[in-house]
Amino acid sequence: MKLLHTLLFLLLGVTAFGQTKKTKIEIVFARTIKQINRSGEVVRLIGDVRMKHEGALMYCDSAHFFPVTNSMIAYSNVHINQGDTLHLYGDILDYNGNTKMADIRGNVKLVDPDLTLTTSALMFDRNSQVGYYTTGAEIIAKNETLRSIRGLYDGNTNLLRFKEKVELQTEDYIIYSDTMYHHSESEQTWFYGKTHITGNGGDIYCNKGYFNAISDYSWFVDSVFIYNDAQLIRGDSVFYNQQSDVGQVYDNVFLSDTVEGYSVTGTFARYTKKNSYAFVTGFPVYSIDVDGDSLHLAGDTLLTFREHDTTERFLKVYHNVRIYKSDFQGRCDSLFYSEIDSTFHLYHQPILWTGINQMTSDNIALKLRDGKMDSLFMTGNAFLLSETEEILYDQIKGKNMYGQFVDNELERIFVSGNGQTVYNAYDENEVLLGINRADCSDLEIKVKDNKIMRIIFLVKPDATLYPVEDIPEGEKRLKGFKPRFEERPSLSDIFQ
C-alpha cells in the first residue's frame, strides 16, 4: 500500500498539503500504467495515452514518463493541443515539464489558425511559444507556401524567420532568398541577402527588401535589378506600389527598353508601367540607338511617357539640354520628341554642331527615319558658320534652312528667304582668292565630310569678290555672327 501511495504521489504530483504543483506533468488517461523500476523513476504508459501540463493536452499511443525529472518521451501519433489554437503533431516527443521544451521528431506538423508547418524535427519552447527547425520545413499560410532549411516560428507574434535556401511561393510570384522574415497574419515579408523574385511581372534581384501582399507595397535596396519583358530598372533602392502602379528609384538609376532601343540614367526616377511613364532628375541622360551609334540627351529634368494607350512614346527634356552623338552635338533650353513623327524639337536658343559647322535658329527640328537622321529644319534667323583654316569663317544666313542627311551625314542644305553668304573663294589649285560676299534669296549648299563644298545660288545673286587684303571690315561678318564652339558638349559633359 505504501508503494502504491508513493507511485500515485509521483504520478499525480500531490503534495502533503493536497496542493497540485503547476509545473508537474499530469497523467489524464492510459489504458495501461506500468512501473519500470521499483523506485518509480520510470513509468510506462500504453494505449490512448493522454497527459496534461500547463494548459496543454498531450496525446500519444505510448510513453515513458519520468516523474522525478518531470519529463516524458511519447511515441506514435503524438499530438499536443495548446489552448485549442496550436496543434503540434509528430512520431516522437521528448518533453521536459520544468523547461517546457518540446523536442518532436518524425512527420512533424504544427498547425495554428494562420499556418501549417511540416518538418522532420522541431524544437518548441512553450514558454516563449517559439519553435525552430534545422532540417528543412514547408509552411503553408493562406495563399502562400514557404520553404527553408532553417527557421523559427513565433506563436505570440505570428512571425516566421527563415535561413538558407528560403523560398516563398504565391500564385503571382516566388521569392528566393538567403534570409527572410514573414508575418503570416499581415502577409508582410522582409528579406535579406541575395534575393530573387520572379513572377508574371518579371524578375527582381536585390540584397534587401520588403513586401506587403495586402497593400501590394514593396521596397528593394542594395543593387536592385528589375527585369520586365524587354525592360530593365536598376537603382540603389526601389519603392513600388502595385495598386497605384507608381514606383520610385533612388541613386544610380538606370531604365532601359531593349526592344525600343533606349535607356535613361539619373539620380531619381518616378515611373509607372501602364503608360511607360518615367520622370527623372539628378543629371538625367536619355540614350537612343541611331543606326549603330548612340545619341545622348541630357538636361536638368527628363520626362518620357505614352499617351492614351498609344504605342508611340514621347520625350521631354527641360533646361540646360545637351545633345551628343559622335558626329553631332547640340544645346538648347528645352527639347521635345515624339515617336509619331520621329522628330526632336529644340527650343530657346538652340544650337547644333556637326563637323566644323555651327547651326543656330529660333527653332530647330531634327527628324529621324528608320533609326537614322533624315532631315533638319531651322526656322527663324537660321545661321550656319564653319571654322576654316583661313582668317574668316564661312557664313550662311537666311530666314529658314532645310538640311538633308544621307547615311547619318549632312549632305545638303537649302536656304529659303533672305539668303546671305560670306565664304572663302579658291581657284582651281585650292589657292585662296579672297572672300565672296553674296546676297541671294534662295540657296543650296553641298556638304561633304561635314564641310561646305559648294554653294549654288538658285536665283541671280548680288555678289562681290573681295581680295584678301581689301576686305571691308563691315563685310567680314553677317549680322548674328557668334561662334560658340567652346560650348560644344563632349561625352563627359553628358555624363557628369
Side-chain angles (χ1 to χ4, degrees):
M1 180 66 72
K2 183 178 181 179
L3 179 60
L4 179 60
H5 181 271
T6 301
L7 180 59
L8 290 174
F9 174 83
L10 293 172
L11 292 179
L12 300 178
V14 178
T15 66
F17 301 97
Q19 298 173 339
T20 302
K21 290 185 178 181
K22 294 182 179 180
T23 59
K24 289 296 182 179
I25 300 173
E26 302 178 32
I27 299 175
V28 177
F29 179 82
R31 296 188 184 279
T32 303
I33 301 178
K34 294 183 179 179
Q35 181 180 344
I36 302 301
N37 55 16
R38 296 180 61 86
S39 62
E41 294 178 355
V42 182
V43 177
R44 178 66 169 155
L45 308 174
I46 302 174
D48 195 16
V49 178
R50 279 169 274 176
M51 311 285 281
K52 181 179 180 181
H53 185 249
E54 294 281 329
L57 292 174
M58 306 179 191
Y59 307 85
C60 61
D61 289 350
S62 62
H64 283 102
F65 176 45
F66 306 92
V68 175
T69 60
N70 195 31
S71 60
M72 60 178 288
I73 300 176
Y75 307 95
S76 187
N77 294 314
V78 174
H79 176 201
I80 300 177
N81 180 0
Q82 181 173 289
D84 289 327
T85 57
L86 187 144
H87 298 266
L88 188 58
Y89 305 87
D91 293 336
I92 299 176
L93 168 66
D94 188 340
Y95 180 74
N96 187 309
N98 296 327
T99 62
K100 297 176 70 173
M101 289 293 298
D103 181 359
I104 188 164
R105 300 177 179 274
N107 300 308
V108 178
K109 183 166 68 172
L110 183 151
V111 180
D112 74 10
D114 296 312
L115 60 85
T116 299
L117 182 155
T118 57
T119 182
S120 60
L122 180 73
M123 291 291 295
F124 187 78
D125 184 349
R126 293 190 56 232
N127 294 294
S128 61
Q129 299 301 302
V130 171
Y132 60 91
Y133 57 87
T134 59
T135 58
E138 177 179 270
I139 297 172
I140 299 176
K142 296 182 180 178
N143 297 318
E144 303 168 328
T145 301
L146 301 102
R147 301 179 183 88
S148 69
I149 301 300
R150 292 186 287 156
L152 182 146
Y153 161 88
D154 189 331
N156 289 322
T157 63
N158 290 316
L159 184 65
L160 301 163
R161 305 177 187 181
F162 305 97
K163 185 73 175 177
E164 284 188 50
K165 297 182 178 180
V166 182
E167 177 183 321
L168 169 60
Q169 183 174 353
T170 72
E171 295 180 354
D172 300 320
Y173 59 86
I174 304 176
I175 301 177
Y176 304 94
S177 185
D178 176 71
T179 302
M180 182 185 298
Y181 292 177
H182 180 73
H183 194 267
S184 58
E185 185 176 359
S186 63
E187 298 186 48
Q188 297 181 81
T189 304
W190 299 259
F191 31 88
Y192 306 87
K194 292 188 179 298
T195 300
H196 174 204
I197 304 172
T198 182
N200 296 329
D203 292 87
I204 301 172
Y205 296 87
C206 66
N207 289 313
K208 184 179 179 181
Y210 165 82
F211 179 70
N212 189 316
I214 296 177
S215 65
D216 283 332
Y217 174 79
S218 57
W219 58 261
F220 315 100
V221 295
D222 193 0
S223 301
V224 184
F225 291 81
I226 301 177
Y227 296 90
N228 178 22
D229 297 326
Q231 296 178 335
L232 166 65
I233 300 172
R234 188 182 72 206
D236 288 354
S237 57
V238 177
F239 297 80
Y240 181 64
N241 189 317
Q242 189 170 342
Q243 292 182 2
S244 62
D245 187 33
V246 174
Q248 294 178 315
V249 188
Y250 295 88
D251 298 321
N252 295 310
V253 175
F254 180 82
L255 313 175
S256 74
D257 191 311
T258 56
V259 172
E260 298 189 12
Y262 77 89
S263 64
V264 179
T265 61
T267 302
F268 168 79
R270 180 181 176 90
Y271 74 95
T272 60
K273 292 197 301 181
K274 183 178 179 180
N275 57 356
S276 297
Y277 170 96
F279 173 82
V280 188
T281 60
F283 309 108
V285 178
Y286 179 95
S287 302
I288 188 172
D289 180 77
V290 179
D291 197 33
D293 194 7
S294 293
L295 173 63
H296 304 290
L297 306 172
D300 295 339
T301 303
L302 186 149
L303 177 64
T304 181
F305 59 95
R306 299 186 189 280
E307 205 168 55
H308 308 304
D309 297 325
T310 61
T311 59
E312 288 78 16
R313 183 166 36 87
F314 300 89
L315 170 70
K316 295 180 180 180
V317 187
Y318 295 100
H319 309 308
N320 192 27
V321 178
R322 286 98 61 207
I323 303 168
Y324 182 87
K325 189 174 176 291
S326 61
D327 55 357
F328 195 90
Q329 297 82 42
R331 283 183 181 272
C332 62
D333 181 71
S334 58
L335 178 147
F336 175 76
Y337 172 76
S338 169
E339 282 189 346
I340 295 177
D341 57 6
S342 299
T343 301
F344 293 94
H345 298 271
L346 286 64
Y347 302 103
H348 305 297
Q349 298 184 337
I351 180 170
L352 295 176
W353 295 272
T354 174
I356 62 173
N357 305 309
Q358 172 185 295
M359 294 169 281
T360 59
S361 68
D362 293 342
N363 296 292
I364 295 179
L366 175 62
K367 184 177 179 61
L368 304 181
R369 187 185 299 274
D370 299 327
K372 297 181 180 181
M373 290 191 295
D374 177 75
S375 50
L376 178 69
F377 301 87
M378 296 186 291
T379 57
N381 297 309
F383 201 119
L384 184 150
L385 62 86
S386 303
E387 290 182 304
T388 68
E389 297 176 358
E390 310 302 339
I391 60 174
L392 293 179
Y393 290 86
D394 287 338
Q395 304 160 55
I396 302 171
K397 179 182 178 182
K399 183 177 181 181
N400 302 309
M401 290 187 187
Y402 167 70
Q404 290 182 334
F405 291 86
V406 175
D407 294 329
N408 287 311
E409 289 191 4
L410 190 61
E411 185 178 75
R412 66 180 64 190
I413 301 173
F414 297 92
V415 180
S416 173
N418 304 325
Q420 295 179 295
T421 66
V422 172
Y423 63 93
N424 296 279
Y426 303 87
D427 64 15
E428 63 276 6
N429 296 317
E430 299 291 327
V431 176
L432 180 64
L433 297 176
I435 300 300
N436 194 356
R437 171 70 174 84
D439 293 342
C440 181
S441 62
D442 300 318
L443 308 171
E444 181 181 353
I445 306 164
K446 298 286 188 179
V447 181
K448 185 176 182 180
D449 297 328
N450 290 318
K451 295 180 181 179
I452 296 175
M453 303 303 294
R454 183 183 178 191
I455 298 177
I456 302 171
F457 300 99
L458 300 180
V459 296
K460 186 177 180 179
D462 179 10
T464 303
L465 178 64
Y466 295 100
V468 174
E469 63 276 8
D470 296 328
I471 304 172
E473 192 63 33
E475 300 294 331
K476 290 182 180 180
R477 295 180 176 85
L478 297 175
K479 185 178 180 181
F481 174 85
K482 186 180 180 180
R484 296 168 57 188
F485 289 93
E486 73 280 356
E487 300 177 35
R488 193 173 193 168
S490 64
L491 189 60
S492 60
D493 292 325
I494 299 296
F495 296 97
Q496 297 185 19

